[in-house]
Amino acid sequence: MSAEERQQQFEVAIRAQPGIRPEARIAKNFGFSNSARVIEGGLFACTNNLEAYSAGLAAGRTAPIEQFIFLCVLTFPPQDEVYFAVTVTTEADRINKGLLKLFHEGEERNKQLVAASKKPGSISNNVKFYITDTGDIFFHNHDFRDSLRSAPGEPALDPDCMAKIDSILFAIWPPAASARRSLLAREFVGYLGSLIGREKVHELHVWADAGAVSPGMQRLPATIPVADIEAAVTSLGGHYPGGEVRRFHAAMNFLPHKHFVILAGLSGTGKTQLALKYARAVHGLTASNVPDPFLFVCPVRPEWTDPTGLTGYYDVLSNRYVVPPFLEAVLLATAHRDSPVFVVLDEMNLARVEYYFSDVLSAIETGEELQLHSSGVPLEGSTGTSVPAALPLPPNLYIAGTINIDETTNPVSDKVLDRAIVIDMSAVDLAGFLSALAGREPMLNDAREGCEQKLVAAQTVMATHGLGFGYRVAEEVVRYHAFATEYLKAEGAAIVDDLMVQKVLVKLRGGERQRPMLTGLAKALDGLPRSQVFLDKLTADLDEFGSFQASR
């Protein structure tokens, strides 16, 4: 769509708004040299050629305009445009009187020029309009101002050339599926609200989101064959040979009103990646580097003790409602009912789940609205969207949580477990994963062959004692091996030995019951001297103290 078409469509949308009179003067100011810009103390809005109108008004042959609409645009990188219409109705007569004053002042200047044998200048050509921080529109026909604040000794803005603004109607191009898309543009809209009052700034949805939302994003997961989803997850690099994709798909979709799944297990087994790749597969995205506007990751923080990390809060300093990613996802799912919106609560048991998730859990289970604030009117959100006082969780919202079970996490209560499907992902197919990795990236095949035997042997021993490692560790070992071989020119066995000590064995800990693990690892890693020394030290700690911990 061309810029001219966007301008025409914005004008049509403005003319169709209630309160816009058929006889209103709608001034279009979309030229490159006429673009709006922020200046000190306010905003330069536009320039209008009003010489003929002012002359007709002064001569009594032109009826006074009763409503002025100034159509303006401001562009932000990389390609966002804010189209806005400044409407003046209540004090339109002040603009008419101000234009007459400018006209007569121009006539007087012309007389002085003629008296001085000089060529008379224009009378009211190119009137400049500004938005002040008092909510007024100010205008004059002199040179452009770079500030609306008067320096010491300079006259203040002429009050006869000012009128109160009734409203500003705006629309943002391109239409975006997510409010995060146009952050700079949204900040500018907030600036407009600070100038004239947020209650006077209103958004128009001139352009549909069809261009931003692909057809693949407008289908619900239950309508997609699970074999297609599995194939898409695999093409995105996922390795889930134990039917995890199928179980996740069924758990997410077996109820039409509740979609909440918890993925549990060892760190690095692909829990978060399963949720992310499943969402991308459902949305028809075949590349991991393509942004997905309907996918939100919410890292849980240990200090969360209330719902504000998910549902937001009112910030008295900015006078806006802070919208965290989870609430943004809810708002987005509410606006796009035909599109599945996915939220991943990463490491959700780093904090007590019941403390921060209870409100959401209740809304999931009862279907009641999520209470956000107590204001009688919607509040402006930090993303530019309006935040109502209460909001039901839409049925197209899909929530996946990941939990690890170790000493840094909190136990998950029965209240939470009863309301979710829990999928354990502790089983690791290391050999299959390494084979698939080398298949996707053949340049890693030599490194994989150099590491695989010791990796699989160590994983087999450690997993028996609940200290196994996942795909993340294995992949990083292989990539490190490939890098060290090429750039450090190191010998393969020495690299594997270093990696075992630096990456694999560092999580070992336990007591007498884990002695067989140390013995088994010493046998599995035979021929790796650094690893043997490391294991001997842990065994000595066990003999002397009755326990051992690699990171001590």
Side-chain angles (χ1 to χ4, degrees), residues 303-322:
E303 69 271 16
W304 283 5
T305 57
D306 58 50
T308 56
L310 295 180
T311 59
Y313 59 92
Y314 176 70
D315 180 24
V316 295
L317 296 179
S318 65
N319 196 28
R320 294 191 296 179
Y321 193 91
V322 175

Side-chain angles (χ1 to χ4, degrees), residues 234 237-239 430-442 448:
T234 300
H239 180 72
L430 211 55
F433 172 78
L434 294 174
S435 176
L437 177 63
R440 291 194 307 272
E441 301 182 49
R448 166 236 175 172

